[in-house]
Amino acid sequence: MSSRNNVRHHTEEISIERLIVRRGQAFVITLYFRNRGFQPGLDNIIFVAETGPLPDLAKGTRAVFSLTSSDGPSPWIASLETNGAASLEVSLCAPPMAAVGRYLLKIRVDSFQGAVTAYQLGEFILLFNPWCPADGVYLDSEPQRQEYIVNDYGFIYQGNKSWIRPCPWNYGQFEENIIDICLELLQKSLNFQVDPSTDCALRGSPVYISRVVCAMINSNDDNGVLNGNWSENYTDGVNPAEWTGSVAILKQWHATGCQPVRYGQCWVFAAVMCTVMRCLGIPTRVITNFDSGHDTDGNLIIDEYYDSTGRILENMKKDTVWNFHVWNECWMARKDLPPGYGGWQVLDATPQETSNGLYCCGPASVRAIKEGEVDLNFDTRFAFSMVNADCMSWLVYGGKEQKLHQDTAAVGNFISTKSIQSDERDDITESYKYEEGSLQERQVFLKALQKLKDGRSQGPHRADTTPFSSMPPGQDNPRSLDTPSLQPSDVMQVSLKFELLDLPNMGQDINFVLLALNMSPQFKDLKVNLSAQSLLHDGSPLTPFWQDIAFITLFPQEEKTYPCKILYSQYNQYLSTDKLIRISALGEEKSTPEKILVNKIITLTFPGIVINVLGTAFVNQPLTIQVIFSNPLSEPVEDCVLTLEGSGLFKKQQRILVGVLKPHHKASITLKTVPFKSGQRQIQANLRSNKFKDIKGYKNVYVDFGL
C-alpha cells in the first residue's frame, strides 16, 4: 500500500517501500483476518497512534480512535473503505495540526464473540502538508509547492551586488536516509534532551520546529550539523566554498555519530536548513542579501573605520557589512502574531547572535521587517538591521575619529532567490523594504528606531548592549525626515569614482581608473591615497597589498582619469577564498579639512566547468557525461580534485583526483552513471586545487522514463 499512499502524499520520491504520509490527508491500509471477515455493528476496531518516547493522550502524542464512532474525543479519523471476505480496507487521517515524526500504529480488535486481540501494525512517518488548506504550512500555488518542497536542486547567489554569481546546489531532500537523518536531528536537539515529551508534543508547530532546526544546523550550543569557520584556515576540514550539496554533509554528520561537520559559512548553513525543512514538508527557499548589515549593538547604525591611506580597519565594535549573507525563508501561518504576519518568515541558521539563549534567528515575519515591527517575535530586530541599517564611515588618525559620511542606502541590496521553476534570479528586495529614499522607507526606519529605544529598558538580556546615548547628538540623528545630511562630496564639490576597464579575471592584472570630477567654479588641488586589500565575505579586512598616492589638479568643471593597475604578482599571495578585493580612495583638498572616501569591491572571476551529457538520459540506462575544466592561472596548480554530484543521477558524490594541471591547461574527463530517478535533474561540479577552491559548473538533465 505504501507506494499508492506515498504518491498521493507526494512522498514517493523519498521511498515507495515505507509508509510516509502528510497530516490532514487520508491514507489507506488493508487489514487481513485469519478466520472470518469484519462484521460492522458487531465487531469494533480501535486504532492507537503514538509518537515519541512518552506517548501521552493529553499532550496529543498518543491518539486512540475507533473505526465505528467518528465522533470520539480524538481528532484522528478512521473510516471504512471496503469490506472483503477476509480483509478490510481502512482510511486513516491524522489531524492537520498533529505532531510530525515517526509513529507506531497499533490496533485492538473487540469481537462480538468476546475476544480482545491487540496487534502492532508497524511504523509510519508523518510530515507537514503544504497541500492541505488546514495545515499551518499550506501554500495555495502548485508551482510554488513544486519549487519550495519538491525541487531538490537550486542556486545560491554569491559574489557582490555588481557581480551576482549563481552557485549550483544539490539539496537532495529525498535522497536515501535523509528523512531519517532529519528526524535524528530533532532527537539530538537540546529541547528534546531536556524534555522529550514536551518537545514531541510541540512538533506540530512549524514555528517551533523551525526554531529547533535552525539551532541544530550550527554547532554552537549542541551537536549540530555544521561547525562555522571564518578564519581562512580549513586544514582539518573542508573549505566551505568546496561543498556543492547538503547530502554529503548530513550523511557525514550521521555517520560520525553526530559530530559537527567542518566547515560551514552562511550559504552552507542555509542550504542544509533548506534540505531539512523541505524534507519535513515546510516550504523553504534560500535568500541572499547583498551588503548585509550585522549590527551588534542594536542602534541600526553600522560603523566602519578607515585610516588616512583609505584602508578599512579591523572593526573596533564588531559591527560589519557582510558582502553577502544567506538565510532561509520558510512559509507558515503565525497564529502567535497579530493577523497579517504569516507567509514567508526569515530563519537564519548562521551563528551570529543568541535568541532566548540559543544560536538561532527567527522565524521573523518578512512583512513585519518591511513595516518596521521590530518588537514582534522572533528576532525581527536583528533581521531588520540586516536589510536596513545605516552605514557610518569614520576616519581614524592621531587618536581621533572624524565622521566621513553616513549612507542610508548602503545596506540590503538585490535580495535574491531562485525563480519558481526557472534558473533565473528573482529580486525580492521590495518584500523586505520600501524603496530607498522614499518617505515610507524613512518612516519605517524611524518607527523601528523608536521601538528599539522603547524596548531598551526591558530589552534583550545581552551583555554587550550599549545605551542609546552613544548615538551622535541632535543634527546627526540617523535619517531625520527632512533632507539627508550633506555628504563631503557636496561640501568639497568634488566627485571620485572607480571604474574597471576590463573583467577582473583570476590570474590576470586588474586595470581600473579613478575618475575625478570638479563640480565647483574654483580650481581644486587634490591628494588621493589609494589602497587595495582582500576582504572576507563577512566584511573582515585582510592586510593591504597595494598602495598609491595620486596628486590631481582640476580646473572648474574639469574631469580627469587616473589610471591604476594591480599586478597578479601583487595580489595572488593575499587573496582569500572569497576572491574579494576592496579598492579605496581617500581624497583631501588643500583648502578644506573635508575628506572624501570612495571604495569599490571587485570579485575575481574564473572560467566555469563545462558539463556535456552525451545522448538522452533514461532511468536505469547508462549515461555518459563529459566534464571539461581548465587551470586559469599562468602557473601550475597541484592537488586538483574534481567532485560531481546530482540527486537521482549519482548514488553518492563522485571524487576524481586530477593531480597537477599545467598553466592554462584544459582537461576533459568522461564518466558513466546510471540515473535512478526520472524528471528534471541537475549535475553539480566543483574543482579545487592548492591555488583555488571553488571553480563551479552545473548542467540540467531531463531523465526520461524510457521503455
Side-chain angles (χ1 to χ4, degrees):
M1 299 300 286
S2 290
S3 62
R4 202 171 82 199
N5 282 315
N6 290 6
V7 168
R8 286 181 186 156
H9 286 251
H10 312 278
T11 61
E12 77 280 7
E13 284 266 310
I14 302 176
S15 170
I16 48 171
E17 270 77 58
R18 301 196 278 169
L19 182 59
I20 302 167
V21 294
R22 298 187 186 276
R23 57 191 201 169
Q25 185 178 339
F27 60 96
V28 176
I29 61 167
T30 307
L31 304 172
Y32 295 95
F33 302 106
R34 264 200 300 275
N35 306 330
R36 60 176 180 84
F38 172 76
Q39 295 192 17
L42 297 172
D43 299 322
N44 189 15
I45 294 179
I46 292 161
F47 291 95
V48 179
E50 298 177 335
T51 186
L54 301 159
D56 182 339
L57 269 175
K59 288 191 164 167
T61 47
R62 182 169 197 259
V64 179
F65 52 108
S66 142
L67 183 58
T68 45
S69 67
S70 56
D71 53 353
S74 174
W76 289 65
I77 299 164
S79 50
L80 186 58
E81 288 289 303
T82 54
N83 190 2
S87 69
L88 188 64
E89 216 175 54
V90 181
S91 160
L92 305 178
C93 186
M97 66 291 294
V100 301
R102 216 182 285 281
Y103 277 80
L104 197 56
L105 187 62
K106 301 172 182 173
I107 185 175
R108 204 171 79 223
V109 180
D110 295 355
S111 141
F112 69 93
Q113 293 156 333
V116 176
T117 31
Y119 303 94
Q120 193 163 303
L121 292 181
E123 272 195 357
F124 66 94
I125 290 173
L126 188 68
L127 300 176
F128 290 100
N129 192 353
W131 283 267
C132 168
D135 194 311
V137 301
Y138 174 64
L139 194 52
D140 64 359
S141 142
E142 182 59 21
Q144 288 194 11
R145 291 189 292 245
Q146 287 300 318
E147 184 65 58
Y148 301 134
I149 290 285
V150 180
N151 198 354
D152 59 11
Y153 67 86
F155 299 100
I156 301 169
Y157 296 96
Q158 297 179 356
N160 70 64
K161 68 179 168 208
S162 39
W163 189 74
I164 296 175
R165 170 182 93 126
C167 168
W169 196 271
N170 177 22
Y171 295 118
Q173 67 269 33
F174 302 134
E175 288 295 282
E176 210 178 355
N177 301 115
I178 291 297
I179 185 138
D180 302 300
I181 297 171
C182 293
L183 296 176
E184 180 181 23
L185 185 132
L186 298 179
Q187 307 292 81
K188 288 280 180 261
S189 77
L190 289 180
N191 303 49
F192 182 84
Q193 305 295 323
V194 172
D195 184 351
S197 71
T198 304
D199 175 71
C200 289
L202 288 169
R203 287 185 190 173
S205 155
V207 172
Y208 178 78
I209 286 266
S210 65
R211 273 181 79 73
V212 169
V213 171
C214 193
M216 275 303 295
I217 297 295
N218 66 65
S219 61
N220 285 42
D221 316 288
D222 41 45
N223 267 20
V225 178
L226 280 156
N227 247 332
N229 184 344
W230 286 265
S231 73
E232 288 292 288
N233 176 9
Y234 310 112
T235 43
D236 57 348
V238 173
N239 184 318
E242 290 178 34
W243 299 111
T244 47
S246 312
V247 179
I249 295 169
L250 287 165
K251 287 192 170 176
Q252 184 184 323
W253 178 75
H254 168 74
T256 56
C258 306
Q259 289 304 303
V261 175
R262 299 176 179 152
Y263 286 106
Q265 285 181 9
C266 63
W267 67 93
V268 190
F269 291 114
V272 174
M273 173 126 186
C274 181
T275 298
V276 174
M277 298 304 268
R278 284 185 184 179
C279 184
L280 295 174
I282 298 178
T284 302
R285 57 190 190 179
V286 174
I287 309 296
T288 302
N289 178 35
F290 290 94
D291 304 326
S292 191
H294 184 139
D295 168 31
T296 54
D297 53 5
N299 65 354
L300 297 186
I301 292 183
I302 288 165
D303 297 296
E304 294 192 311
Y305 298 91
Y306 294 83
D307 71 6
S308 55
T309 66
R311 73 171 179 146
I312 189 168
L313 299 170
E314 205 32 281
N315 199 314
M316 311 167 177
K317 266 197 350 198
K318 291 294 174 225
D319 278 9
T320 43
V321 176
W322 293 35
N323 208 48
F324 66 86
H325 181 49
V326 183
W327 60 70
N328 297 100
E329 280 179 9
C330 299
W331 181 271
M332 63 189 74
R334 290 298 301 269
K335 301 259 166 42
D336 57 319
L337 297 183
Y341 293 105
W344 290 116
Q345 311 289 319
V346 168
L347 282 137
D348 187 350
T350 300
Q352 301 184 76
E353 300 285 313
T354 57
S355 171
N356 292 346
L358 288 181
Y359 275 95
C360 75
C361 174
S365 158
V366 172
R367 175 140 184 266
I369 294 166
K370 182 168 182 170
E371 300 301 337
E373 301 293 346
V374 291
D375 47 350
L376 293 180
N377 280 348
F378 289 87
D379 311 303
T380 310
R381 174 196 68 76
F382 191 73
F384 182 88
S385 72
M386 292 198 289
V387 297
N388 265 314
D390 279 2
C391 215
M392 191 87 82
S393 308
W394 300 87
L395 176 65
V396 179
Y397 64 102
K400 288 201 200 72
E401 292 175 12
Q402 177 188 341
K403 181 175 161 187
L404 288 169
H405 68 267
Q406 182 166 339
D407 191 340
T408 61
V411 167
N413 293 299
F414 297 101
I415 303 174
S416 302
T417 192
K418 176 187 175 297
S419 289
I420 296 167
Q421 295 181 324
S422 124
D423 288 352
E424 295 306 303
R425 181 181 71 87
D426 217 355
D427 191 302
I428 56 166
T429 311
E430 54 83 42
S431 65
Y432 279 85
K433 53 195 203 176
Y434 292 100
E435 198 180 336
E436 286 291 355
S438 69
L439 185 62
Q440 271 175 310
E441 187 259 352
R442 288 288 158 96
Q443 287 168 330
V444 165
F445 186 87
L446 290 169
K447 170 163 97 177
L449 206 52
Q450 190 56 50
K451 279 178 182 284
L452 288 175
K453 278 186 184 178
D454 298 344
R456 271 298 137 148
S457 42
Q458 72 275 8
H461 310 293
R462 294 228 325 267
D464 60 358
T465 307
T466 54
F468 255 82
S469 58
S470 65
M471 279 178 53
Q475 84 280 7
D476 286 338
N477 225 21
R479 298 205 218 181
S480 54
L481 278 174
D482 43 50
T483 54
S485 59
L486 283 174
Q487 303 292 6
S489 55
D490 306 326
V491 178
M492 215 196 282
Q493 293 195 296
V494 170
S495 140
L496 295 179
K497 189 179 162 198
F498 283 118
E499 237 169 57
L500 282 171
L501 294 178
D502 38 37
L503 255 184
N505 288 324
M506 177 72 180
Q508 293 171 13
D509 301 342
I510 303 167
N511 292 297
F512 59 100
V513 293
L514 178 70
L515 296 175
L517 168 65
N518 181 2
M519 299 175 288
S520 80
Q522 278 90 38
F523 175 82
K524 297 280 181 185
D525 193 353
L526 301 180
K527 175 191 174 189
V528 184
N529 281 303
L530 297 147
S531 72
Q533 63 198 122
S534 276
L535 279 187
L536 305 186
H537 89 272
D538 69 0
S540 312
L542 302 179
T543 324
F545 51 78
W546 174 86
Q547 283 176 329
D548 190 11
I549 297 179
F551 295 96
I552 303 171
T553 54
L554 294 168
F555 286 104
Q557 313 299 326
E558 187 185 8
E559 181 173 46
K560 273 189 181 165
T561 61
Y562 180 81
C564 307
K565 183 193 281 276
I566 302 175
L567 303 175
Y568 173 62
S569 58
Q570 286 175 300
Y571 73 74
N572 77 328
Q573 295 302 307
Y574 293 94
L575 269 191
S576 71
T577 313
D578 297 307
K579 298 180 294 298
L580 295 169
I581 292 175
R582 180 182 195 133
I583 46 177
S584 301
L586 185 69
E588 50 189 307
E589 208 258 322
K590 296 265 168 70
S591 61
T592 69
E594 287 295 331
K595 293 183 172 58
I596 175 170
L597 173 78
V598 291
N599 49 54
K600 185 177 184 70
I601 291 175
I602 298 169
T603 305
L604 292 166
T605 66
F606 280 138
I609 297 173
V610 176
I611 303 170
N612 295 318
V613 174
L614 311 178
T616 311
F618 290 106
V619 174
N620 299 330
Q621 299 286 315
L623 178 67
T624 304
I625 295 160
Q626 180 194 37
V627 186
I628 303 164
F629 52 93
S630 58
N631 172 11
L633 307 180
S634 33
E635 56 186 312
V637 293
E638 298 165 12
D639 310 326
C640 295
V641 179
L642 180 71
T643 52
L644 287 168
E645 62 180 285
S647 285
L649 296 167
F650 300 100
K651 284 284 187 190
K652 65 178 205 298
Q653 195 184 54
Q654 308 292 304
R655 288 169 61 83
I656 298 146
L657 303 176
V658 180
V660 178
L661 277 177
K662 295 191 183 76
H664 299 294
H665 180 69
K666 196 177 210 175
S668 168
I669 282 176
T670 304
L671 68 157
K672 276 193 163 54
T673 187
V674 179
F676 53 96
K677 285 184 178 178
S678 63
Q680 193 64 51
R681 302 283 155 199
Q682 190 185 71
I683 300 168
Q684 299 88 9
N686 185 70
L687 177 68
R688 70 163 176 138
S689 73
N690 63 336
K691 289 278 197 295
F692 49 76
K693 299 297 171 204
D694 61 336
I695 293 186
K696 305 274 182 201
Y698 72 92
K699 178 78 175 178
N700 292 348
V701 184
Y702 188 80
V703 181
D704 246 323
F705 266 122
L707 306 170

